[in-house]
Amino acid sequence: MPSFTIESTYRLPVFRHRTYEAATPEDACQLAIADEDWTGQKEDYENSGATYLTGIWPGVDSAYMAPALALPPGYGEGECPPPMTQTEPSPLAASPLMPRCRHCGSADICRDANAIWDETAQQWSLLATYDSQTCERCGADSNNLALWVPVAEAGSATAFLWEVIQALETTSLAWEADFQCFCNESYGQLTADEAATRWRSAAGV
């Protein structure tokens, strides 16, 4: 089976807290922007950007040593990769999908759109949709906010897993085996908030 070396990237917000003496808020902002000393900086891993790919090469450990291949559509920065699937006992290859917020796991995703008045139907008709997506739960907004996953049936163990994820606001847990087992064991025994609290305690968060 062929091997490929892939360079993956994500943007990590870095921040600092520093006090400035200034006559006005605007002057203080100017001082902060001009300040090039980042001693004591902190990394905001909770709000890191989505992972995207910046290179692919044939072979093992071949980055920048072999001619690069073209990235498949959907894997570059700002693009939407093919739908990710959860670990399910019997996943359906053609199961319907739904968007989840990459930040908090909520299904309440809205997308900017444009409508035009239809004189014949006497109602607004959808004209176009735009890339910008917004989570109604946490307020996150980006062009790559939606994480596409199979539809979770209301009241199912999978729906419960996503309820716990929303309480924890950590979508990466959805594909961790330990977390999946924990949710399966907690399903029907605990509320989502109770399960989230127990998971945080066990994880030392």
Side-chain angles (χ1 to χ4, degrees):
M1 181 177 296
S3 297
F4 299 92
T5 300
I6 296 179
E7 181 181 83
S8 303
T9 305
Y10 72 97
R11 296 189 181 278
L12 177 67
V14 176
F15 67 95
R16 66 187 175 195
H17 295 155
R18 189 162 295 163
T19 303
Y20 300 92
E21 292 185 1
T24 66
E26 289 76 10
D27 290 343
C29 290
Q30 288 292 335
L31 291 173
I33 290 296
D35 188 353
E36 298 182 353
D37 179 9
W38 281 84
T39 303
Q41 69 184 38
K42 298 179 182 179
E43 290 75 31
D44 186 5
Y45 291 100
E46 291 296 323
N47 292 302
S48 60
T51 299
Y52 59 96
L53 304 185
T54 47
I56 178 171
W57 299 264
V60 178
D61 297 328
S62 56
Y64 298 102
M65 299 181 67
L69 303 175
L71 283 173
Y75 290 95
E77 184 176 14
E79 297 180 344
C80 186
M84 298 177 65
T85 57
Q86 303 177 46
T87 302
E88 291 288 338
S90 300
L92 298 176
S95 59
L97 302 174
M98 65 185 298
R100 293 274 183 179
C101 174
R102 292 182 184 274
H103 295 275
C104 74
S106 172
D108 296 331
I109 304 294
C110 295
R111 189 168 177 178
D112 287 349
N114 189 15
I116 189 171
W117 182 252
D118 187 326
E119 296 180 358
T120 302
Q122 286 295 290
Q123 63 182 13
W124 291 100
S125 298
L126 184 65
L127 181 64
T129 57
Y130 302 112
D131 292 336
S132 180
Q133 304 154 10
T134 302
C135 175
E136 294 294 295
R137 182 177 183 274
C138 71
D141 186 284
S142 79
N143 290 354
N144 193 31
L145 182 66
L147 180 67
W148 293 95
V149 300
V151 172
E153 182 180 351
S156 66
T158 301
F160 176 76
L161 177 145
W162 281 101
E163 290 173 4
V164 179
I165 286 174
Q166 288 182 69
L168 294 168
E169 296 191 349
T170 309
T171 56
S172 60
L173 289 171
W175 293 274
E176 291 189 9
D178 289 346
F179 181 75
Q180 292 172 2
C181 290
F182 168 78
C183 287
N184 286 335
E185 293 171 356
S186 302
Y187 174 60
Q189 306 296 321
L190 302 173
T191 66
D193 288 337
E194 290 171 343
T197 299
R198 185 168 298 184
W199 177 263
R200 286 193 190 97
S201 178
V205 179

